Amino acid sequence: MSTLVRIIRQSILVSNHTQLRRMFGQSSTIAVGQMRSTSDKAANLDQVRELVARAKSRNACMLFLPECCDFVGENRDQTLEFSEGLDGELMAQYRELAKGNEMWLSLGGVHEQNEQGKIYNTHVLVNEKGELAAVYRKLHLFDVSTKEIRLRESDTVSPGDSLVRPVNTPTGQVGLQICYDLRFAEPAVMLRKMGAQLLTYPAAFTYSTGKAHWEILLRARAIETQCFVVAAAQQGWHNKKRQSWGHSMIISPWGKVLADCGCEELAIGTAEVDLSVLQNLYDSMPCFEHRRNDLYTLTAYNVPSAEPAQDRPFASNIVDRRTIFYESEHCFAFTNLRCVVTGHVLVSTKRVTPRLCGLSVAEMADMFSTVCMVQRLLEEIYQTTSATVTVQDGAQAGQTVPHVHFHVMPRRYGDFGHNDQIYVKLDERAEEKPQRSIQERIEEAQVYRNFLTDKS
């Protein structure tokens, strides 16, 4: 297991008591910062220290900093030269700053070195112990030409490959995004579906696009997701070629602006976040209950699994949660009682329904996405390049458990004398294969779960 994963797990454990208190309705003070980064990393760090001090003086439990809080390079070569890994000296100073002030820090977008000769635009959460709590790499890169600007972020930055599940913090479940991600409503909705109560959009919005769209987009994201929105911003001229709009904001789930830092170069805004208002809003305007999942849906791919929360029904049977190695919104994957080949696992819907034709659009999309993810997982673990993926839909098709499920079976060269013999063995396994022990299945599930955790 990687050091980063261990740090994140420890962070979740040590902060659990505080998180539970916040989750049950107590309000907290948060702060949003505004600054003007340049290519002077030391001066930028001094600005961050000042913002932390101001947030501390207002009893904020969490400070949100803007994108490029580490620096804004003069050119591509300088940006690559100045970037660091997450184990670098600058991150160590941020972590010490959080620990010394017992405050969570949202580092809205630092330049993270990668192995592709570029960087990631990386949003890092640091908890009050100075530990990394989450890492999100920007998905959408700002390659845009207008009358006023021309920027190609992809010349320097590699895109991230996954959303990050909302993170437990003293101010609730926080969903992480960065700048240009604001223009895409889909990730915001998916984060809300995964439990986000607050969305954050640290940014260095250009002056022209910020003037036209910044507040409108932020309020739209708050209203459509019914989440608090926090958007820390850069402000002013970073160099001769680049100017940012400013107006760091905190916005309520109703779309009301609770704090606005305006055009100040170095500023802090604060607001009380009371999570108890969310349930009242959900009850009075239950938008997410009214979504037509029978007609349309959004499914996030490549998102780390939540920990299995409970045993799951499988028709009239019960699947022990310890044998479940992956859960998505509507599906779960678990180790098999009788295997045709090594690595033979099952993927089923959480809702008990006998046939594929009984699934909603949301369940269909989630099921196929989960099956593809599981197939990729097994092929990586077992070093195979093929798989048999099958569903027996109805009794005459060989279905013995009346609950929609897929069989995913990694294949090896020559594993059956006749390739299609696998289907015969699938039908015969109940008579020919002894049941595996619960311990064997639990241990196998843990191998898969560890693999998924290490990759994330």
Side-chain angles (χ1 to χ4, degrees):
M1 185 184 298
S2 68
T3 301
L4 177 58
V5 170
R6 284 195 293 270
I7 289 171
I8 291 173
R9 283 186 169 181
Q10 183 182 6
S11 162
I12 292 171
L13 289 172
V14 299
S15 301
N16 191 53
H17 179 67
T18 300
Q19 292 157 5
L20 287 175
R21 286 195 298 109
R22 299 297 184 188
M23 290 293 291
F24 284 93
Q26 293 191 16
S27 64
S28 56
T29 301
I30 62 170
V32 63
Q34 184 159 292
M35 59 189 290
R36 182 179 66 87
S37 293
T38 66
S39 59
D40 188 336
K41 295 174 72 173
N44 299 333
L45 183 57
D46 285 342
Q47 291 184 72
V48 170
R49 289 194 178 104
E50 173 61 23
L51 292 175
V52 169
R54 294 187 190 183
K56 182 75 171 180
S57 71
R58 300 192 192 184
N59 298 314
C61 64
M62 190 167 185
L63 169 63
F64 294 82
L65 294 165
E67 181 185 28
C68 301
C69 56
D70 52 351
F71 68 90
V72 173
E74 298 280 347
N75 51 56
R76 183 179 187 274
D77 289 343
Q78 187 183 70
T79 297
L80 295 175
E81 178 188 352
F82 283 6
S83 64
E84 301 180 19
L86 298 186
D87 57 354
E89 176 59 30
L90 185 57
M91 186 57 64
Q93 293 185 72
Y94 287 139
R95 291 171 62 180
E96 188 59 36
L97 195 57
K99 181 179 179 181
N101 289 275
E102 298 183 315
M103 181 186 299
W104 279 66
L105 294 181
S106 162
L107 307 171
V110 298
H111 300 76
E112 179 196 0
Q113 289 178 342
N114 64 32
E115 298 176 354
Q116 303 165 26
K118 293 184 177 183
I119 61 172
Y120 292 116
N121 189 341
T122 302
H123 189 161
V124 180
L125 281 190
V126 181
N127 71 14
E128 82 283 4
K129 304 291 185 182
E131 301 159 337
L132 300 189
V135 174
Y136 163 74
R137 297 178 176 99
K138 187 178 181 182
L139 294 181
H140 303 96
L141 302 186
F142 191 65
D143 290 356
V144 173
S145 294
T146 70
K147 292 180 180 179
E148 295 86 4
I149 57 166
R150 182 184 182 278
L151 286 173
R152 285 192 57 81
E153 191 174 15
S154 63
D155 288 346
T156 307
V157 179
S158 303
D161 62 5
S162 178
L163 285 173
V164 171
R165 285 188 173 276
V167 183
N168 280 329
T169 77
T171 192
Q173 297 266 354
V174 175
L176 307 179
Q177 294 279 270
I178 302 174
C179 199
Y180 190 47
D181 291 333
L182 174 60
R183 292 186 179 272
F184 302 89
E186 296 89 345
V189 173
M190 287 190 282
L191 287 167
R192 165 69 164 82
K193 286 170 65 178
M194 287 188 276
Q197 298 164 307
L198 184 152
L199 300 176
T200 180
Y201 293 95
F205 244 61
T206 65
Y207 187 90
S208 59
T209 58
K211 183 178 181 180
H213 298 146
W214 174 247
E215 181 178 332
I216 295 169
L217 287 169
L218 290 172
R219 295 178 69 190
R221 294 296 89 84
I223 294 165
E224 70 197 1
T225 63
Q226 300 175 314
C227 289
F228 289 93
V229 166
V230 182
Q234 293 280 348
Q235 196 283 330
W237 286 97
H238 308 287
N239 52 51
K240 292 181 180 179
K241 297 184 294 184
R242 186 169 175 183
Q243 182 186 16
S244 290
W245 170 244
H247 290 274
S248 296
M249 290 186 173
I250 302 173
I251 298 172
S252 80
W254 194 249
K256 179 181 178 181
V257 177
L258 304 177
D260 182 348
C261 292
C263 298
E264 293 184 56
E265 189 171 289
L266 189 67
I268 207 90
T270 59
E272 287 292 314
V273 171
D274 183 358
L275 299 179
S276 67
V277 306
L278 294 177
Q279 192 57 56
N280 292 334
L281 181 57
Y282 303 159
D283 291 341
S284 62
M285 192 170 290
C287 299
F288 278 74
E289 292 180 23
H290 295 161
R291 301 184 76 85
R292 289 294 301 272
N293 286 322
D294 56 330
L295 299 179
Y296 59 82
T297 188
L298 289 173
T299 298
Y301 187 66
N302 207 27
V303 174
S305 172
E307 285 292 322
Q310 61 190 64
D311 296 345
R312 292 288 178 187
F314 185 47
S316 60
N317 307 304
I318 297 295
V319 176
D320 190 308
R321 67 181 180 84
R322 295 171 297 173
T323 69
I324 298 171
F325 60 90
Y326 183 86
E327 281 196 343
S328 60
E329 184 180 5
H330 298 289
C331 303
F332 65 102
F334 58 103
T335 53
N336 203 354
L337 194 60
R338 295 182 175 90
C339 296
V340 173
V341 296
T342 301
H344 177 182
V345 303
L346 302 180
V347 179
S348 180
T349 54
K350 290 179 178 177
R351 183 173 67 89
V352 178
T353 187
R355 300 287 309 281
L356 282 170
C357 57
L359 300 181
S360 68
V361 170
E363 289 169 327
M364 292 177 201
D366 194 19
M367 169 65 86
F368 194 69
S369 175
T370 301
V371 166
C372 289
M373 188 285 302
V374 169
Q375 177 185 347
R376 184 182 63 185
L377 160 73
L378 296 175
E379 290 184 359
E380 289 188 47
I381 289 177
Y382 293 108
Q383 296 296 291
T384 60
T385 58
S386 302
T388 294
V389 178
T390 185
V391 57
Q392 296 163 299
D393 196 35
Q396 283 69 52
Q399 184 186 48
T400 57
V401 179
H403 185 160
V404 172
H405 62 282
F406 278 71
H407 298 262
V408 185
M409 297 169 281
R411 299 294 303 275
R412 295 103 177 145
Y413 180 76
D415 51 9
F416 292 97
H418 199 16
N419 187 58
D420 285 352
Q421 192 177 5
I422 191 170
Y423 299 109
V424 177
K425 293 297 182 182
L426 194 61
D427 286 336
E428 293 177 348
R429 72 191 188 282
E431 291 78 23
E432 294 187 357
K433 293 281 186 179
Q435 289 190 10
R436 297 198 300 159
S437 70
I438 185 66
Q439 191 58 37
E440 183 181 1
R441 295 174 59 211
I442 290 170
E443 290 174 359
E444 182 186 349
Q446 191 60 52
V447 169
Y448 301 152
R449 202 178 297 120
N450 290 344
F451 188 86
L452 288 168
T453 301
D454 286 345
K455 282 182 68 65
S456 66

